[in-house]
Amino acid sequence: HVPLREIAAATGLLKTTTFNLVTALVDTGLVERDARLGYRLGLHALIYGRVVERQLDIVALLRPHLVQLCADTRETVNAALPCPTDVVIVESLEGGQGLRVSSYAGTRAPYHSTACGRALLSHMPAPVRRRILTLAPLLAPTPKTCISVSGIEAILTECRRSGYVCEVEENELGAACVA
């Protein structure tokens, strides 16, 4: 649950504007309101999300390959699609290792600090990459995160050369990913 004042602060909207917009979302069932705790996504958001998921033919095409990769490596396997400012995990299969990183379909991930984000970003045209990397300050989820645009560009160049990219403890301490 998120209080109205936090929603207003996060969006930069006036509190009255935020209230009107959130009330409209409550009326449609996309958001639920708890008088004491604030707002959260409603069940209709899940329903609409599942409709969109079924329309993503790419997920159906990828699923057999993801299942095989997960079985072969016993590691968590994700499929991600690019969005304007980050990537969205559209499928995630949890590996069989005792210690593993878990992701969930619908999770958003930064381009600069995740292997999947870097892999997608590496093949975008240079002006698009530059815009994404300079749109907002690059946050460092861990002390090991590269937040230098030139450093990230070097990582992306190596990704294009080698065909893969790694991320070691840049998005989560104790975790490493390859894409």
Side-chain angles (χ1 to χ4, degrees):
H1 288 89
V2 180
L4 184 66
R5 69 180 174 284
E6 287 183 28
I7 297 171
T11 60
L13 297 172
L14 296 173
K15 204 169 176 182
T16 53
T17 303
T18 304
F19 175 78
N20 290 333
L21 291 171
V22 171
T23 298
L25 293 171
V26 169
D27 291 345
T28 64
L30 289 170
V31 171
E32 294 175 355
R33 179 177 182 268
D34 181 302
R36 296 173 298 118
L37 302 173
Y39 299 88
R40 69 175 183 183
L41 288 177
L43 290 178
H44 279 80
L46 176 64
I47 293 165
Y48 292 137
R50 293 294 184 200
V51 169
V52 171
E53 181 183 24
R54 284 192 298 275
Q55 293 173 349
L56 290 174
D57 293 337
I58 192 163
V59 174
L61 292 170
L62 287 175
R63 190 167 285 119
H65 302 285
L66 298 173
V67 167
Q68 187 64 53
L69 184 59
C70 186
D72 290 348
T73 64
R74 296 182 50 225
E75 297 289 348
T76 299
V77 176
N78 296 322
L81 293 177
C83 291
T85 59
D86 55 11
V87 300
V88 64
I89 306 296
V90 293
E91 181 67 289
S92 183
L93 303 175
E94 198 167 281
Q97 300 288 355
L99 181 62
R100 60 188 171 268
V101 176
S102 294
S103 296
Y104 304 97
T107 302
R108 300 187 88 87
Y111 277 109
H112 73 284
S113 66
T114 60
C116 62
R118 289 173 176 177
L120 290 168
L121 190 60
S122 71
H123 295 286
M124 292 181 184
V128 174
R129 283 196 318 270
R130 173 68 61 184
R131 182 72 177 134
I132 288 170
L133 293 173
T134 59
L135 191 61
L138 299 176
L139 302 178
T142 79
K144 297 184 178 191
T145 307
C146 178
I147 57 171
S148 153
V149 172
S150 61
I152 294 168
E153 283 290 357
I155 292 167
L156 301 179
T157 298
E158 177 58 22
C159 175
R160 287 188 297 277
R161 188 196 68 71
S162 68
Y164 70 94
V165 65
C166 297
E167 166 270 302
V168 179
E169 293 190 322
E170 291 189 67
N171 197 54
E172 183 178 335
L173 290 176
C177 298
V178 177

